[in-house]
Amino acid sequence: MAIINHKLDLVIRLIDASTGRPIDEKNTSFARDGVPMRMADKGGGVYFLVNAGREGFELTTDIYGYEAKKTSIDYGELDERIPEKLIWLMPKNALSLEGTLKGVSSLCAVRLVTPSCFVNSYDARKNIITLFNPHNLIMRYHEYGILDADRKSFEPIYVSEEDGIRTIRPAEPLRRTPGINDPIERIIQGSTSEDGGYLLKVRDDADTIEVLVRYVIDDREYFQKVEMHDVRPNELNTAKAFEIGSEKETEVETE
């Protein structure tokens, strides 16, 4: 009897960058280094490749209703056992913040709404955040921002494990010690390009949509409040932004 071995070589999860929800759209197409290919559909926005080899490539994802996106698949950055990649896609029909800003290297935002989850405490030694989570939101495998009490800045974190309701463990230790009741909001992913272009999209689902945008220039973080219904080309401007210094600085005490 022949023995057939199957090796899982790639898993991708398609996430709506505006809402954080899985994209379960069936009208999809993929390309590997520009050559169309098929990926098996597991449902819930999850696709996978089996016995495809593990050489790095550029994956093009084109989903109905979303901006097409090119993603570099670098197996040196993925888990060897289950090589999974989250791909954040921006909806086409949405409010847009876009322009050009010299040197911008990353961009994301959080919505400034009534908070639904808060920091209760942070154990720096164990790198565990205990939550005050009155609505029992499940926080897992996504990026969130811990806002300062004055809501002028936030620290991005990626939730890697813990139960996601009472406690969360960031993938990396926090750079600053959060205060009790600091709000936690889901991050909206934006994009930047080598020529300084930037783009952020948010679904138009409220009369007022105020966001706090975080962007990085030369390892320095800038934060700017923007009302998404009232944006202009090249809206982001460091002269209007709140700056908190080097992205690499740390203020967390572990003793």
Side-chain angles (χ1 to χ4, degrees), residues 39-180:
M39 297 191 71
D41 183 359
K42 188 178 179 180
V46 178
Y47 294 80
F48 62 94
L49 289 175
V50 174
N51 296 336
R54 293 195 175 186
E55 292 184 2
F57 65 96
E58 182 180 73
L59 174 66
T60 301
T61 307
D62 196 353
I63 310 296
Y64 176 79
Y66 291 86
E67 302 286 349
K69 184 173 183 178
K70 294 182 178 180
T71 305
S72 176
I73 303 299
D74 183 349
Y75 282 96
E77 298 175 351
L78 303 181
D79 183 271
E80 183 175 354
R81 188 174 64 88
I82 303 179
E84 180 178 275
K85 184 78 172 180
L86 269 64
I87 298 180
W88 303 84
L89 298 176
M90 295 187 192
K92 289 183 177 179
N93 185 20
L95 301 173
S96 298
L97 172 70
E98 57 186 314
T100 303
L101 187 61
K102 184 178 179 181
V104 65
S105 59
S106 69
L107 182 146
C108 63
V110 296
R111 288 181 70 158
L112 296 175
V113 294
T114 301
S116 53
C117 190
F118 307 83
V119 173
N120 188 45
S121 65
Y122 175 57
D123 187 327
R125 184 176 60 84
K126 296 181 180 178
N127 189 34
I128 292 178
I129 300 172
T130 302
L131 304 173
F132 173 57
N133 190 359
H135 301 290
N136 290 324
L137 301 177
I138 299 177
M139 302 175 63
R140 180 175 293 171
Y141 307 119
H142 286 302
E143 289 186 296
Y144 296 86
I146 304 177
L147 282 84
D148 288 337
D150 59 10
R151 294 161 70 99
K152 288 184 177 180
S153 66
F154 63 88
E155 179 172 354
I157 64 170
Y158 182 80
V159 177
S160 61
E161 58 181 276
E162 295 302 304
D163 69 10
I165 297 178
R166 294 176 295 274
T167 61
I168 54 176
R169 186 193 300 272
E172 301 289 340
L174 299 185
R175 292 185 289 113
R176 72 169 186 89
T177 301
I180 297 175

Side-chain angles (χ1 to χ4, degrees), residues 106-112 143-157 174-176 178 182-190 200 211-216 221-225 242 244 247:
S106 69
L107 182 146
C108 63
V110 296
R111 288 181 70 158
L112 296 175
E143 289 186 296
Y144 296 86
I146 304 177
L147 282 84
D148 288 337
D150 59 10
R151 294 161 70 99
K152 288 184 177 180
S153 66
F154 63 88
E155 179 172 354
I157 64 170
L174 299 185
R175 292 185 289 113
R176 72 169 186 89
D182 278 359
I184 303 176
E185 294 292 341
R186 186 186 55 78
I187 280 181
I188 303 167
Q189 291 290 336
L200 180 82
V211 298
L212 181 62
V213 181
R214 173 189 181 268
Y215 51 101
V216 177
E221 294 177 281
Y222 296 88
F223 294 86
Q224 186 174 332
K225 290 183 180 180
F242 176 69
I244 63 172
E247 187 180 37

Side-chain angles (χ1 to χ4, degrees), residues 216-231:
V216 177
I217 301 175
D218 296 329
D219 288 332
R220 305 195 73 83
E221 294 177 281
Y222 296 88
F223 294 86
Q224 186 174 332
K225 290 183 180 180
V226 175
E227 164 52 53
M228 292 297 294
H229 288 107
D230 186 28
V231 296

